Amino acid sequence: GTPSYLAAAATEVSDDPLSLVGDGEAVPTIACRGATFEAASKAERMSLTTTSLVADAIIVDGVTEGDLEMGLSNSRHARTLTALMRSRLMLASDDGSEEDEEESPTIAQTIYLGVLSTGDDIDKDAIEKEVTAIYEAIAAESDDEESSAAFEELYTIEIV
């Protein structure tokens, strides 16, 4: 995989699909390996799901210029984003029942997308559109597309 510059300490700790990282002084961090082009094990899928449901922020790191040139939606990062977003969208869709008219507030999760680039010519708007398109494709899978939360309700995105 591509080296992580945003979460280097977390990625060096363990080869486990999910681990808790912290030195006792810092805020504990959940480190979860992202998807690869190989078939993900059940443990890896469950790790991504757990992370998407409990984290306030997610760092998806290691996006390269090559990933952007071929299209983010065609990269291994799209698999990671899909796994993260699918479980969170399912939970958000199940939040309100017909018996409970009061909607529970959804707190937007921040996705930090780490792009490794040698230049300043990264089109952040285009990247955000690709991430939003991945989300919209997942929302379209839902049995009740109209009840799916909008991307902006569940996520904010930062390109770093």
Side-chain angles (χ1 to χ4, degrees):
T2 307
S4 173
Y5 295 102
L6 294 176
T11 58
E12 293 173 9
V13 170
S14 175
D15 286 334
D16 294 333
L18 187 67
S19 56
L20 186 62
V21 181
D23 62 5
E25 294 179 22
V27 174
T29 302
I30 297 173
C32 178
R33 284 194 316 233
T36 64
F37 283 125
E38 298 175 10
S41 69
K42 184 175 183 177
E44 289 168 327
R45 290 190 308 272
M46 295 301 293
S47 297
L48 285 166
T49 299
T50 301
T51 303
S52 73
L53 298 178
V54 300
D56 291 333
I58 302 277
I59 298 172
V60 178
D61 197 7
V63 178
T64 64
E65 289 176 338
D67 292 326
L68 298 177
E69 287 173 11
M70 72 177 194
L72 188 63
S73 61
N74 296 319
S75 73
R76 66 193 186 278
H77 305 292
R79 288 182 59 149
T80 299
L81 289 167
T82 299
L84 292 166
M85 291 176 179
R86 184 174 284 133
S87 54
R88 189 159 161 83
L89 179 61
M90 287 175 52
L91 181 67
S93 297
D94 290 340
D95 271 354
S97 66
E98 292 176 17
E99 298 162 2
D100 184 10
E101 294 297 323
E102 185 177 325
E103 291 187 29
S104 59
T106 302
I107 298 171
Q109 183 178 64
T110 302
I111 297 174
Y112 293 96
L113 198 61
V115 179
L116 303 172
S117 175
T118 57
D120 293 330
D121 58 342
I122 295 173
D123 187 349
K124 291 183 178 183
D125 290 335
I127 296 169
E128 287 182 29
K129 286 179 184 174
E130 280 196 77
V131 173
T132 302
I134 291 169
Y135 175 83
E136 289 170 353
I138 297 163
E141 296 173 351
S142 171
D143 291 336
D144 187 8
E145 288 180 51
E146 293 181 16
S147 71
S148 295
F151 178 83
E152 296 79 19
E153 292 177 49
L154 296 180
Y155 298 101
T156 59
I157 186 160
E158 297 288 333
I159 312 296
V160 293

